[in-house]
């Protein structure tokens, strides 16, 4: 039986910081290679649990996966790693207000 080639996926996971002031939420998009959606979700859940354990975060119960490419296609600068459509009947400014949750904490490097 021929195995499916590994495809690239962007996987979005969510966390709650437990030890930082105001306990902010974090969302991450991480790249994985897997042969199926089920496999990439399993990989992401394991990586997510390890990330949270190392940083004293709570893992929130949502994982969203997005297939970036099939097989060995190149992934590099400008490659879309995640996309989600929002079917909301809102004016643009109300949509953006919904996702602007206040001051953001952006990390420049690890």
């Amino acid at each position: 039986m021929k195995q499916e080639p590994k495809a690239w996926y962007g996987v979005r996971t969510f966390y709650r910081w437990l030890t930082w002031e105001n306990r902010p939420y974090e969302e991450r998009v991480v790249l994985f290679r897997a042969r199926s959606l089920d496999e990439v979700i399993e990989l992401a859940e394991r990586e997510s649990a390890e990330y949270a354990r190392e940083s004293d975060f709570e893992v929130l119960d949502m994982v969203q996966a997005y297939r970036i490419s099939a097989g060995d296609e190149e992934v590099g600068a400008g490659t879309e790693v995640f996309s989600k459509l929002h079917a909301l009947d809102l004016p643009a400014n109300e949509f953006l207000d919904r996702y602007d949750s206040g001051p953001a904490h952006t990390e420049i490097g690890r």
Side-chain angles (χ1 to χ4, degrees):
M1 182 174 164
K2 184 179 174 189
Q3 276 195 327
E4 288 291 317
K6 285 188 175 183
W8 283 104
Y9 291 84
V11 182
R12 186 177 178 206
T13 52
F14 302 84
Y15 309 85
R16 183 81 191 250
W17 289 39
L18 300 176
T19 58
W20 220 34
E21 183 180 343
N22 299 327
R23 297 182 55 200
Y25 292 97
E26 177 181 358
E27 57 183 291
R28 300 168 69 220
V29 177
V30 178
L31 294 176
F32 291 94
R33 288 189 60 132
R35 289 187 168 78
S36 69
L37 186 59
D38 288 339
E39 181 183 358
V40 78
I41 295 294
E42 183 179 315
L43 291 169
E45 286 175 339
R46 276 190 266 151
E47 189 277 339
S48 180
E50 183 177 323
Y51 175 75
R53 191 172 38 257
E54 290 174 355
S55 303
D56 200 21
F57 299 159
E58 172 188 2
V59 179
L60 303 183
D61 191 22
M62 182 186 299
V63 176
Q64 298 175 329
Y66 176 76
R67 188 173 177 161
I68 297 169
S69 71
D72 291 327
E73 296 171 29
E74 186 174 326
V75 173
T79 300
E80 182 177 272
V81 297
F82 195 85
S83 177
K84 180 180 177 184
L85 297 176
H86 298 267
L88 300 170
D89 187 19
L90 296 173
N93 62 331
E94 287 182 35
F95 172 78
L96 292 175
D97 284 347
R98 179 180 278 204
Y99 289 94
D100 181 10
S101 60
H105 302 280
T106 304
E107 186 172 345
I108 302 304
R110 276 221 177 227

